[in-house]
Amino acid sequence: MTLINKNIWMAFYLVSILWGLSLSISSYSTYQRVYDEFVTQQISLTNISKNSLNATFDQYEVLLSIVASQVLKNDKMIEEESIISIMQTATNLHSSVRAFGLFNLDGSTRSTYPVNPETDGRPLLTVSESKASFEKTITANKMVIGRTYFSESLNDIIIPFRLAVRDSMGDTKMILSIAVSVDKGFSFFVNNVIESGFNNTYLYREMDRYFQLAPIDRIHDANVYQQKIPKSKVKITIEELSKTVKTPLAELKESEITFTNETFRGSNTYINASVYIKEYSMWLITEIKLTEIMQAFLYKVKLLVLVHLLSIVLIFFLFRNIASSEKKKVKELKFQANHDYLTQLFNRYYFDQYCEKVNSSSPFTLIYLDIDHFNTINDSYGHAVGDQLLKAIALRVKGIAHPQDLVIRSSSDEFILVCFHKTELQTNEFCKQLLASVNTTYLINDAEILLTASIGVSVYPKDSSNPEDIKRNADLAMNSAKTIRNTTAFFNKTLLNDYLYKCSVERELKNAVKHNELYMLYQPQQLSDGTVVGVEALIRWENKTLGFMSPDQFIPIAESIGAMDTVGEFVIEQTLSDMVSLQQRIGTAFSVSINVSVKQFKKPDFYDILMVLVERYQFPTNLLILEITESVLIDDIDAMQRLMVKIKKQGIRISLDDFGTGYSSLSILHNLSIDELKIDKSFVDHVVDDAETRSMISTMISIAQCKKMKTVVEGVETKEALLTLTELGCDIYQGYYFSKPIDKHQLEFFITNPEGHQVVDQES
Ligand code: C2E
Ligand code: CA
Ligand code: CA
């Protein structure tokens, strides 16, 4: 039972592990997907940012180009007033453009609108922040973006955009510059970060490593624009990037493709998307925190984990269900193995197991209860009623029994009770109650049924220290009770001795033929004048250990143990052999009566065996008589009749032994062709002094005469008896008065010396 359960739970653990594994795999792939989604989105948002920046820059370049083209007319500067007016219009058009300025090539201011955004109006070439980009603008044929700085005059953080104003020869004449407010001109950049869910975004100049647009949390901090990003940091980041994407830096810059890599700052990991803006030599970098990916992942995986957990809970219940139904099944099987299906009481198997475990420290009383004549109930009411009756009996027995007692149905109508702590007196009282309860009328299917039972009791360990012996003892006691019925018998030593003696008889009897322990005696049958007309063959058994055994004792035992075949065959063979040779030698023919037991006669091969032996010894069938008793005719009378007809066809005669002691009816005698009636010795014993007996014998003789049967009286012991019987008209006489059963030699002497016919005392 535990093994099956163990296996079920093993399977559950295995499924759980597999389930867990599948959860890990799907979680991992979900994480990968979320990560990839984030990165792809980051790249695309970075690209959008880059494009917006480029478009904004282009827009300022266009503005500068337009103004520049108007400032110089035919290579001549237009008037100051017109310049201011153009600047004014342009400034008004772009709210982000805070100021315009036109500078001489030495960096000095030519004209500004509305104020000079540059520091203190100093020549730009003397200001460190603007020197490099200003110089670059002179030679550059495109817009140059200057460093972002705080303009005191504008009170704003601005980015200067500069464009060279060239004449028709292409020579730079002046530098046009606009100051664009970071706040107004790049608010989209800040918004972009917020909308995209970036942690940060910044733009820095590759040339001098200053922020063009600082990370948005510091975008309005003027000081940030004064600090260079350390070279080492930039180097590391860029190298790291090119290493991660396995592409040379030059190629990354040239292709302007957005790449991502992970960086660590403080306790955080960031995913950076970097793209190089070739035109202005700037790096645009966007950042997201890995924890955000983690959060998105957790949000997504939550459902997955939930589904997994739920299914594992479901699987758990499923397995628990299987395990418990398995447990239930095992319990049921165990119950079935130990219980009787009909009465639900314990069965014999359980009882045997119980007996194997008992020890002398736990005494008990074993009570065997057997219903008397139960098979007649089955025969007359049918098995269905029989079953119901057994259930009712079981209920009654169980009702009387103490809760601790074991109640067992050991076989069809046999119940066993194992009771504890009972004295003999208590047991006796208890058994009386049992019998009284069982004896009470049962009402089944409208039929009132009355029963009796017999009880046998044996006590462990008083009667034996071996529980097997206790079972046998109780059985012996029960068999002894059966002889009386409706009573209780306690086991005692005499029962055991009788039983053991019977066992030894059985044992010895099995080998009696083989050991030549059996022999035949013959008792003469005579007419009243002493003429021997026949003999009755009577078996004898002399055993080394048991001594002389009378056939009355051992024939029933031989029948019960199935030894009657060999014994019966011995009788026929020995008798035929003895009598054929005797009759041939003395030249006198006389009939030979052989006793045939009920079981022997009913054996299907009896006739064949008989005829084989008759053939073998060439015994004249007209001299052979088979003595059968009335019990042969109790059941299956038709088959017996057919057999008797077959036997009689061979010329063999049939004699009805012990006539008058059984319950033969006249109709039986009428229907069966019996040749001879043997009037039992019990009648003969009283023939002299009991008139009633005499009239009974007289009736028997009349019946015999009527059916043309011969009468043989056995047990004739006295001359008086002989005389009386002769008067009554008996045909043939057998008894100690003439001769006891004698061996074949004595018989030869007896027959050949008729003048000495006295009582021949062979057996005394
Ligand atoms: P049974 O067939 O009624 O045999 C007659 C019994 O009465 C014999 O006892 C015989 O010895 C006894 N007997 C005869 N005359 C007298 C008498 O004047 N006084 C007294 N007291 N007894 C007399 P036995 O030989 O002990 O046989 C007993 C029974 O055993 C037989 O009763 C028969 O039923 C059975 N039996 C004996 N031999 C055989 C046998 O070979 N085969 C079978 N199947 N049964 C046998
Ligand atoms: Ca007989
Ligand atoms: Ca008899």
Side-chain angles (χ1 to χ4, degrees):
M1 174 184 146
T2 39
L3 192 74
I4 294 173
N5 256 332
K6 223 165 131 183
N7 285 344
I8 289 171
W9 286 116
M10 276 290 282
F12 171 71
Y13 295 138
L14 205 78
V15 168
S16 301
I17 289 169
L18 287 177
W19 215 225
L21 220 71
S22 109
L23 175 65
S24 315
I25 291 168
S26 29
S27 298
Y28 179 73
S29 77
T30 306
Y31 177 77
Q32 278 298 329
R33 213 174 50 242
V34 171
Y35 187 96
D36 290 348
E37 273 169 17
F38 259 77
V39 166
T40 313
Q41 204 185 13
Q42 189 185 2
I43 288 172
S44 91
L45 289 170
T46 307
N47 282 336
I48 291 171
S49 267
K50 183 196 127 193
N51 292 339
S52 315
L53 280 171
N54 262 335
T56 311
F57 292 161
D58 287 351
Q59 181 193 324
Y60 293 126
E61 190 165 13
V62 169
L63 179 70
L64 281 168
S65 306
I66 294 168
V67 175
S69 67
Q70 290 182 8
V71 164
L72 220 57
K73 278 262 165 78
N74 299 329
D75 291 348
K76 286 252 165 50
M77 285 293 290
I78 59 163
E79 282 177 19
E80 180 74 10
E81 256 175 52
S82 309
I83 292 173
I84 299 295
S85 153
I86 293 166
M87 283 180 177
Q88 189 181 1
T89 318
T91 311
N92 290 344
L93 273 174
H94 283 269
S95 62
S96 60
V97 177
R98 294 292 312 272
F100 251 99
L102 192 63
F103 299 92
N104 295 315
L105 294 186
D106 60 2
S108 59
T109 311
R110 175 81 181 263
S111 29
T112 56
Y113 176 85
V115 288
N116 186 353
E118 307 293 349
T119 329
D120 310 331
R122 281 179 293 159
L124 289 178
L125 281 173
T126 62
V127 181
S128 64
E129 284 94 328
S130 47
K131 186 176 185 285
S133 64
F134 191 84
E135 280 176 343
K136 198 179 168 194
T137 318
I138 297 171
T139 53
N141 44 16
K142 58 192 270 305
M143 183 177 78
V144 173
I145 304 173
R147 273 178 53 194
T148 309
Y149 67 97
F150 178 72
S151 161
E152 276 170 24
S153 52
L154 291 170
N155 193 26
D156 199 0
I157 295 171
I158 57 147
I159 301 173
F161 290 87
R162 299 195 177 95
L163 187 72
V165 180
R166 294 171 192 274
D167 60 12
S168 56
M169 298 301 289
D171 292 333
T172 306
K173 293 292 173 199
M174 263 163 292
I175 300 296
L176 189 61
S177 183
I178 48 170
V180 174
S181 161
V182 165
D183 188 24
K184 291 209 174 101
F186 293 92
S187 57
F188 76 89
F189 190 73
V190 176
N191 292 340
N192 210 12
V193 172
I194 295 162
E195 279 163 20
S196 310
F198 291 146
N199 284 95
N200 231 331
T201 301
Y202 55 91
L203 186 68
Y204 79 87
R205 305 154 60 84
E206 188 186 44
M207 182 176 64
D208 48 22
R209 302 194 309 280
Y210 283 107
F211 281 118
Q212 194 73 64
L213 289 167
I216 55 151
D217 51 343
R218 289 174 291 161
I219 198 163
H220 299 302
D221 178 356
N223 292 329
V224 175
Y225 298 101
Q226 300 296 320
Q227 291 154 17
K228 260 187 172 174
I229 303 169
K231 197 170 185 176
S232 59
K233 198 172 170 189
V234 170
K235 207 178 153 200
I236 286 168
T237 326
I238 299 297
E239 272 173 11
E240 194 71 28
L241 174 66
S242 66
K243 229 191 285 168
T244 318
V245 299
K246 292 189 186 97
T247 314
L249 188 60
E251 205 181 312
L252 280 182
K253 283 157 74 173
E254 183 55 36
S255 58
E256 278 194 25
I257 293 171
T258 313
F259 295 96
T260 57
N261 68 328
E262 285 184 14
T263 56
F264 311 97
R265 210 165 56 237
S267 57
N268 289 319
T269 304
Y270 295 89
I271 295 172
N272 293 342
S274 314
V275 62
Y276 188 65
I277 304 174
K278 206 165 56 183
E279 204 177 341
Y280 301 103
S281 307
M282 288 181 204
W283 283 98
L284 170 67
I285 290 157
T286 62
E287 253 182 19
I288 48 169
K289 258 190 195 164
L290 194 67
T291 47
E292 271 176 42
I293 297 186
M294 216 54 198
Q295 264 165 22
F297 159 70
L298 286 178
Y299 182 78
K300 280 214 166 151
V301 92
K302 215 158 51 185
L303 192 75
L304 197 74
V305 171
L306 204 78
V307 166
H308 266 80
L309 278 180
L310 238 130
S311 50
I312 214 76
V313 167
L314 274 177
I315 291 170
F316 169 77
F317 280 114
L318 190 82
F319 272 80
R320 208 179 62 166
N321 234 353
I322 295 172
S324 75
S325 77
E326 201 56 41
K327 216 167 146 185
K328 208 173 125 195
K329 217 158 73 192
V330 170
K331 213 172 143 190
E332 269 170 24
L333 280 178
K334 211 172 157 191
F335 184 87
Q336 274 171 24
N338 289 318
H339 291 77
D340 165 46
Y341 74 97
L342 184 71
T343 59
Q344 306 294 303
L345 296 177
F346 286 119
N347 58 17
R348 175 124 221 159
Y349 171 75
Y350 177 84
F351 177 56
D352 289 344
Q353 305 284 101
Y354 176 83
C355 286
E356 272 174 25
K357 281 182 257 158
V358 297
N359 57 58
S360 51
S361 60
S362 51
F364 62 87
T365 304
L366 196 66
I367 298 175
Y368 263 45
L369 181 145
D370 191 283
I371 308 299
D372 298 333
H373 303 302
F374 191 78
N375 44 356
T376 59
I377 301 278
N378 275 338
D379 291 346
S380 39
Y381 294 96
H383 282 264
V385 171
D387 283 355
Q388 286 194 55
L389 194 60
L390 283 170
K391 277 194 208 171
I393 295 168
L395 268 178
R396 290 190 189 178
V397 173
K398 187 106 190 141
I400 299 277
H402 201 261
Q404 289 112 275
D405 295 348
L406 298 181
V407 184
I408 299 133
R409 181 180 171 224
S410 74
S411 65
S412 67
D413 61 342
E414 193 173 292
F415 296 85
I416 295 175
L417 285 105
V418 178
C419 305
F420 306 94
H421 316 302
K422 275 193 166 67
T423 62
E424 192 167 330
L425 212 70
Q426 286 169 329
T427 305
N428 207 10
E429 197 47 46
F430 177 74
C431 290
K432 268 186 194 161
Q433 284 176 29
L434 266 178
L435 288 178
S437 171
V438 171
N439 288 359
T440 315
T441 314
Y442 298 82
L443 192 72
I444 289 164
N445 294 355
D446 296 332
E448 281 188 14
I449 301 171
L450 252 176
L451 289 174
T452 59
S454 303
I455 292 178
V457 180
S458 183
V459 180
Y460 174 85
K462 192 190 112 218
D463 292 339
S464 169
S465 57
N466 182 354
E468 282 304 313
D469 289 350
I470 296 294
K471 290 187 204 171
R472 180 208 57 205
N473 292 351
D475 202 34
L476 292 176
M478 202 265 293
N479 285 334
S480 148
K482 276 271 175 212
T483 58
I484 303 167
R485 297 197 193 278
N486 195 21
T487 190
T488 301
F490 280 73
F491 168 78
N492 59 52
K493 279 270 146 46
T494 317
L495 287 177
L496 181 62
N497 290 339
D498 289 353
Y499 167 75
L500 292 177
Y501 180 72
K502 196 179 160 216
C503 287
S504 65
V505 171
E506 283 175 13
R507 211 173 36 245
E508 296 297 325
L509 191 58
K510 277 182 189 152
N511 296 315
V513 176
K514 208 162 57 196
H515 294 167
N516 290 323
E517 293 170 5
L518 299 175
Y519 60 93
M520 299 306 298
L521 291 184
Y522 305 95
Q523 191 176 27
Q525 295 175 332
Q526 291 158 277
L527 299 177
S528 55
D529 64 2
T531 316
V532 176
V533 288
V535 291
E536 179 179 4
L538 295 160
I539 193 167
R540 295 294 175 261
W541 179 28
E542 190 85 46
N543 177 266
K544 266 198 248 88
T545 38
L546 301 166
F548 178 79
M549 294 286 295
S550 123
D552 275 331
Q553 282 175 297
F554 75 81
I555 293 290
I557 297 176
E559 285 213 306
S560 74
I561 62 169
M564 205 53 221
D565 290 359
T566 34
V567 173
E569 221 174 301
F570 165 82
V571 169
I572 299 170
E573 181 157 20
Q574 191 64 50
T575 305
L576 296 186
S577 138
D578 284 351
M579 293 302 103
V580 152
S581 55
L582 175 67
Q583 293 195 4
Q584 278 174 0
R585 197 163 47 250
I586 62 174
T588 314
F590 50 85
S591 65
V592 176
S593 295
I594 292 177
N595 291 286
V596 181
S597 82
V598 179
K599 283 210 175 144
Q600 190 186 355
F601 192 70
K602 286 189 170 175
K603 273 273 187 164
D605 57 356
F606 169 73
Y607 173 81
D608 294 334
I609 291 170
L610 174 74
M611 292 320 293
V612 165
L613 293 173
V614 167
E615 282 290 306
R616 186 181 301 162
Y617 293 98
Q618 290 292 303
F619 193 86
T621 51
N622 64 321
L623 294 180
L624 185 57
I625 300 174
L626 299 182
E627 288 192 13
I628 57 168
T629 54
E630 295 155 306
S631 39
V632 163
L633 309 167
I634 284 177
D635 42 44
D636 212 359
I637 189 161
D638 291 342
M640 290 303 106
Q641 197 170 359
R642 281 196 297 276
L643 175 61
M644 281 157 74
V645 168
K646 227 161 116 183
I647 289 168
K648 282 177 65 64
K649 267 197 184 146
Q650 296 292 340
I652 299 168
R653 278 171 287 164
I654 305 242
S655 170
L656 198 58
D657 206 354
D658 304 338
F659 186 68
T661 58
Y663 37 88
S664 333
S665 69
L666 286 177
S667 69
I668 289 179
L669 289 181
H670 182 71
N671 290 328
L672 295 176
S673 34
I674 289 164
D675 302 278
E676 183 181 277
L677 285 187
K678 283 196 87 171
I679 298 168
D680 195 66
K681 179 178 174 296
S682 53
F683 295 98
V684 180
D685 287 343
H686 306 286
V687 75
V688 177
D689 40 44
D690 186 43
E692 206 172 309
T693 306
R694 279 197 297 279
S695 85
M696 279 168 85
I697 292 175
S698 177
T699 312
M700 288 185 222
I701 292 168
S702 307
I703 294 167
Q705 281 169 351
C706 201
K707 290 288 296 174
K708 300 201 169 43
M709 293 186 268
K710 290 272 184 230
T711 46
V712 180
V713 274
E714 60 188 357
V716 182
E717 287 184 347
T718 59
K719 194 172 184 172
E720 292 75 32
L722 175 65
L723 286 172
T724 317
L725 289 162
T726 314
E727 268 172 38
L728 288 171
C730 277
D731 298 317
I732 298 159
Y733 307 89
Q734 178 183 344
Y736 290 179
Y737 177 70
F738 302 105
S739 169
K740 282 198 169 182
I742 47 181
D743 69 20
K744 58 180 180 183
H745 306 294
Q746 290 167 318
L747 179 65
E748 183 173 347
F749 182 81
F750 186 85
I751 296 172
T752 49
N753 295 286
E755 65 283 357
H757 277 186
Q758 297 292 330
V759 175
V760 181
D761 202 354
Q762 154 78 22
E763 285 198 325
S764 57

